[in-house]
Amino acid sequence: MSHQMSSSVASSRYHNNNGHNNANNHHNNRSQRETTRRHVESRHQSERRHDSSEISCCLKYLIFGSNVVFWLTGLLVSVVGVWAWTEKEVFNNLTRITNIALDPAFIMICVGCLAFTIGFTGCVGALRENTCLLAGYAIFLAILLLLEMTTGILGFIFKDWIKSQAATGFQAFIVYYRDDPDRQNLVDWVQDQWLGCCGVDGPKDWDQNIYFNCSSAAVGSREACGVPFSCCRPIPNEIIRNKQCGYDVRKHEFVGDKSIVIYEKGCLRAGEEWIEGNLVPVAGFTVVIAVLQACLSLKLYELTERSVNGWPLTVIELSDNPGDHDFLEPEFKYIANMHGNEVLGRELLLKLAEHMCDEYNKGNKEIQTLINTTRIHLMPSLNPDGWDASTNNDLKGKDWLLGRANGNGVDLNRDFPDLDSIAYQDNSQTGNIFSQETIDHNLQPETRAAMAWILSNPFVLSANLHGGALVANYPYDESRDGSASSYTASPDDNTFRHLANVYALTHKTMSTGERVRCENDDDFTKQGGVTNGAQWYSVSGGMQDFNYLGSNDFEITLELGCNKYPAENTLPTEWDNNRDALIAYMKQAHLGIKGIIRNARTGEPIVGASVKVKNVTNGVNKLINHDIISVKNGEYWRLLTPGTYEVLAVKDGYEPDAKAVIVKNSAPEAVRLDLNLKPIDDTFDPQVMASNDYFGYKSIPDNIDLNNPEVLRLINFLQRAGAQNNDRAAAN
């Protein structure tokens, strides 16, 4: 990732840098358009009367001639790369490409195609006097000039990254030295003809290669404890190169001075010395790599709608593959500034993006692993209209209501469909119950955009950042009995309490230290910095419960402090309080289990299968009444705390499949558990079903619909599973 890119994103600090564009109204009258049309036609007629070119003949053919050379050079390099792949029979078997990024032939093809394209742009643009092509060519030259001007600075900025990448890449070349003739030739050229070196840090690095490893002497390798001939110093007037000059030079019993025979300087150090004398071209190459890395790691995008006043709802994405979902990689999101006058979360997310970019580039393994295994979405502001109203006045947070709502005066955290009341009425299901029929009022554009975002991405975990208190708040937010305050547990109450505790306990002051009592007289430190939302106060139409009941996403609400609009000079302290907690919470996206639901006959993924979980830890034997639905490619993720579970996958038209799993949450990623559903064509007899045992019950409850095919298949499966358990018990 690019430090510059993230810094520019994070530099707002209470100032508007979103580039908000107000619509410009253009009023043209008919006479002006007619005058303009006649002027253009007159000019075109005048231009057609010109017989001479508008471009200097010398300049035209100078550009044309130089780019013909560049064009042909690019073509030649591409042809050589294609020829190399043909010789290696890559086109007949693409599995021969073990690492395409380190394949010299592939690099030649890419570089050749790029040079060919640029040469074509300048050549044809000059010859045909095509302004579009010449403009593109001029832009390319301007970019090259800009790169040359910035290479000195960037050379210092990315010095450590370049060194690390070069060492890692060259080590890979050494390990696979004999596996690819192009890599072998490239290594020999670097060591022998370019840098005059041996290995990364010295000749001992060749012990990483199976042929040159000293232990290979036991199997008769003549090259054991040696180095390639390219490590040997050239002998003056040598006509035929001695390819065996590096044999045995690393053996203890080698006679003579090795420094006379081979290079003892590593290629990493030799490369640094070469860079010192060739800083400009090397720095230019570094810029390209750095920009490429940034493009692969960070992306900005907008939601489908803008705010009432036209502000973009911008999201920062951190991923090793931005813009795309990686297979079985959980997706995480932070949303802040839902109440526009609660600004701390906004600033923390901007700083978080900057911090993760910096640490990723510095080689922080924790951050690199998190970004490489998790697709992370950060939305600094869901309510930019409210932020604008609360910021562009003299009160700045002194008024608890100014800027809280959006441009239409609506509290966005009361504007989502009330799925709680639906779940409380029908206890048979509490997951993915959203439908168009559940929308009972006109939604705000910010709410609609957030809902579309939530429902179109396979989010696994998220948090909504607020201000005004200091506590981690978990579902349910709306009380079941309609009271203003009563503990209302969700089916995943254990998991949600764990998630809230992770943030509260990692936060510097949320659960420990001096008691924090806000103006509303809330002091949550006495209960560990966590609270059930409905126990605090009941909220209807909140985003937290919509995520849990309307999608696969588990979300909690983080109240970050008593002061909704803290002073700018307090931001470093607030960042220090929240930094570790923000990162620790993101890691929780890898709790529990994940896997694929497949068709047992065809192996094809099944989308829309319900994943049911029963907790059987220490004899609990309790069904968690919250299903997760498989998404694209049959993927699913199910957050669970440590314990033993029975997992059941159900889909209309298939026999259910169940497996037991032990969750420890000690590994970096969730436990992989795939389930296979066998298609069925037959139907079941409800009367037979009703007499069978399932999940420990001897009869079917009255409220179960035996005419539902999915219910019948589930009962039949559970009945057969119970019979198998009885058989095993009898056998014991």
Side-chain angles (χ1 to χ4, degrees), residues 297-314:
S297 304
L298 184 146
K299 175 186 176 183
L300 300 179
Y301 67 91
E302 293 183 23
L303 298 194
T304 53
E305 295 189 58
R306 293 195 167 194
S307 71
V308 172
N309 294 331
W311 290 74
L313 304 178
T314 305

Side-chain angles (χ1 to χ4, degrees), residues 306-311 338 340 382-389 403-412 444-446:
R306 293 195 167 194
S307 71
V308 172
N309 294 331
W311 290 74
M338 188 179 199
L382 180 61
N383 185 5
D385 293 352
W387 176 86
D388 188 35
R404 176 183 176 87
N406 74 339
N408 285 333
V410 176
D411 187 332
L412 297 179
Q444 296 300 301
E446 298 91 343

Side-chain angles (χ1 to χ4, degrees), residues 275-518:
I275 289 174
E276 291 175 0
N278 301 270
L279 183 61
V280 173
V282 172
F285 176 76
T286 303
V287 171
V288 176
I289 297 299
V291 172
L292 177 61
Q293 184 189 23
C295 293
L296 291 174
S297 304
L298 184 146
K299 175 186 176 183
L300 300 179
Y301 67 91
E302 293 183 23
L303 298 194
T304 53
E305 295 189 58
R306 293 195 167 194
S307 71
V308 172
N309 294 331
W311 290 74
L313 304 178
T314 305
V315 180
I316 305 169
E317 179 185 341
L318 301 172
S319 170
D320 59 350
N321 184 26
D324 294 302
H325 168 73
D326 283 343
F327 186 63
L328 278 181
E329 185 172 286
E331 304 216 8
F332 176 92
K333 72 179 189 305
Y334 273 133
I335 298 179
N337 206 209
M338 188 179 199
H339 292 147
N341 61 343
E342 298 169 11
V343 301
L344 180 57
R346 177 182 186 274
E347 299 302 318
L348 289 179
L349 292 191
L350 293 172
K351 179 62 178 178
L352 180 63
E354 177 186 15
H355 172 74
M356 296 188 73
C357 281
D358 287 345
E359 294 302 308
Y360 191 99
N361 286 333
K362 291 177 182 177
N364 185 319
K365 297 300 181 183
E366 177 189 28
I367 300 301
Q368 288 181 341
T369 299
L370 182 59
I371 290 178
N372 292 339
T373 60
T374 318
R375 189 180 180 199
I376 301 168
H377 307 255
L378 309 177
M379 178 186 282
S381 181
L382 180 61
N383 185 5
D385 293 352
W387 176 86
D388 188 35
S390 62
T391 299
N392 294 320
N393 66 80
D394 296 331
L395 296 176
K396 284 190 171 57
K398 296 179 181 179
D399 187 331
W400 269 56
L401 295 179
L402 180 62
R404 176 183 176 87
N406 74 339
N408 285 333
V410 176
D411 187 332
L412 297 179
N413 207 30
R414 309 293 189 276
D415 191 48
F416 284 78
D418 181 11
L419 301 183
D420 296 79
S421 59
I422 298 174
Y424 298 160
Q425 292 173 8
D426 183 7
N427 290 323
S428 63
Q429 180 53 259
T430 64
N432 290 274
I433 61 176
F434 169 77
S435 65
Q436 291 297 322
E437 289 72 24
T438 62
I439 302 176
D440 58 357
H441 64 283
N442 292 326
L443 302 174
Q444 296 300 301
E446 298 91 343
T447 307
R448 290 195 303 266
M451 287 174 57
W453 187 40
I454 292 167
L455 298 173
S456 61
N457 288 278
F459 292 118
V460 177
L461 179 64
S462 62
N464 184 9
L465 279 57
H466 283 257
L470 186 63
V471 66
N473 170 84
Y474 57 90
Y476 285 126
D477 251 350
E478 182 177 349
S479 63
R480 185 184 297 270
D481 58 10
S483 63
S485 175
S486 65
Y487 194 108
T488 307
S490 71
D492 286 282
D493 193 57
N494 287 339
T495 300
F496 275 118
R497 282 191 286 111
H498 165 78
L499 294 171
N501 277 315
V502 165
Y503 198 94
L505 294 174
T506 312
H507 189 280
K508 292 291 181 64
T509 62
M510 188 174 286
S511 63
T512 59
E514 297 182 2
R515 298 302 182 193
V516 178
R517 187 180 298 279
C518 300

Side-chain angles (χ1 to χ4, degrees), residues 166 170-171 173-174 177 184 186-206 227-234 241 245-246 249 258-259 261-274:
F170 204 74
Q171 283 173 352
F173 273 47
I174 289 175
Y177 177 71
Q184 179 175 324
L186 182 58
V187 171
D188 289 338
W189 176 78
V190 170
Q191 294 189 145
D192 183 28
Q193 300 181 39
W194 180 25
L195 297 177
C197 57
C198 187
V200 179
D201 297 310
K204 66 180 184 302
D205 290 325
W206 281 98
V227 294
F229 75 93
S230 55
C231 284
C232 297
R233 294 181 180 275
R241 189 68 182 270
C245 58
V249 294
K258 287 190 296 185
S259 62
V261 180
I262 65 172
Y263 298 111
E264 292 194 302
K265 180 187 294 183
C267 293
L268 188 60
R269 179 55 193 157
E272 290 177 340
E273 293 176 354
W274 182 87

Side-chain angles (χ1 to χ4, degrees), residues 454-720:
I454 292 167
L455 298 173
S456 61
N457 288 278
F459 292 118
V460 177
L461 179 64
S462 62
N464 184 9
L465 279 57
H466 283 257
L470 186 63
V471 66
N473 170 84
Y474 57 90
Y476 285 126
D477 251 350
E478 182 177 349
S479 63
R480 185 184 297 270
D481 58 10
S483 63
S485 175
S486 65
Y487 194 108
T488 307
S490 71
D492 286 282
D493 193 57
N494 287 339
T495 300
F496 275 118
R497 282 191 286 111
H498 165 78
L499 294 171
N501 277 315
V502 165
Y503 198 94
L505 294 174
T506 312
H507 189 280
K508 292 291 181 64
T509 62
M510 188 174 286
S511 63
T512 59
E514 297 182 2
R515 298 302 182 193
V516 178
R517 187 180 298 279
C518 300
E519 292 182 16
N520 55 8
D521 205 36
D522 291 321
D523 179 7
F524 294 103
T525 52
K526 61 187 178 183
Q527 57 192 60
V530 301
T531 186
N532 173 263
Q535 186 181 37
W536 184 10
Y537 62 91
S538 181
V539 172
S540 174
M543 185 169 66
Q544 172 178 272
D545 287 4
F546 176 83
N547 275 275
Y548 180 64
L549 296 173
S551 72
N552 290 337
D553 187 21
F554 283 43
E555 179 168 290
I556 68 173
T557 300
L558 300 172
E559 301 283 348
L560 300 176
C562 299
N563 192 345
K564 291 187 175 185
Y565 206 119
E568 184 175 355
N569 59 10
T570 67
L571 291 180
T573 300
E574 296 291 357
W575 167 246
D576 184 60
N577 288 338
N578 287 275
R579 180 190 62 237
D580 294 342
L582 289 167
I583 294 172
Y585 185 76
M586 285 190 284
K587 294 179 181 178
Q588 306 311 302
H590 296 277
L591 289 181
I593 60 176
K594 66 179 179 180
I596 313 164
I597 312 295
R598 292 192 182 96
N599 185 313
R601 292 179 182 171
T602 66
E604 295 179 352
I606 299 176
V607 178
S610 297
V611 179
K612 303 175 182 293
V613 177
K614 184 167 73 169
N615 188 351
V616 295
T617 306
N618 298 325
V620 172
N621 202 37
K622 179 181 180 181
L623 181 68
I624 301 175
N625 188 27
H626 183 79
D627 293 356
I628 295 298
I629 305 299
S630 63
V631 296
K632 182 181 179 181
N633 300 319
E635 302 162 277
Y636 79 93
W637 298 262
R638 191 31 164 115
L639 300 184
L640 295 168
T641 53
T644 304
Y645 301 89
E646 289 181 2
V647 183
L648 175 73
V650 179
K651 172 74 173 180
D652 188 26
Y654 298 86
E655 280 194 43
D657 184 25
K659 291 181 180 179
V661 63
I662 297 176
V663 175
K664 297 182 179 179
N665 290 334
S666 57
E669 296 189 45
V671 177
R672 176 76 177 267
L673 184 70
D674 295 346
L675 296 160
N676 301 296
L677 305 185
K678 181 180 178 181
I680 54 175
D681 301 319
D682 55 334
T683 58
F684 303 108
D685 185 352
Q687 300 304 320
V688 176
M689 298 279 180
S691 64
N692 289 324
D693 183 15
Y694 77 100
F695 270 179
Y697 293 94
K698 295 298 182 181
S699 61
I700 303 298
D702 295 336
N703 61 347
I704 297 297
D705 182 10
L706 294 178
N707 294 318
N708 187 323
E710 183 175 344
V711 172
L712 297 181
R713 278 186 285 275
L714 174 59
I715 295 175
N716 178 67
F717 171 81
L718 298 175
Q719 172 265 321
R720 288 187 284 107

Side-chain angles (χ1 to χ4, degrees), residues 1-17:
M1 280 166 292
S2 168
H3 173 75
Q4 286 77 12
M5 288 179 65
S6 61
S7 295
S8 65
V9 173
S11 63
S12 64
R13 298 295 184 264
Y14 300 142
H15 298 288
N16 174 15
N17 69 339

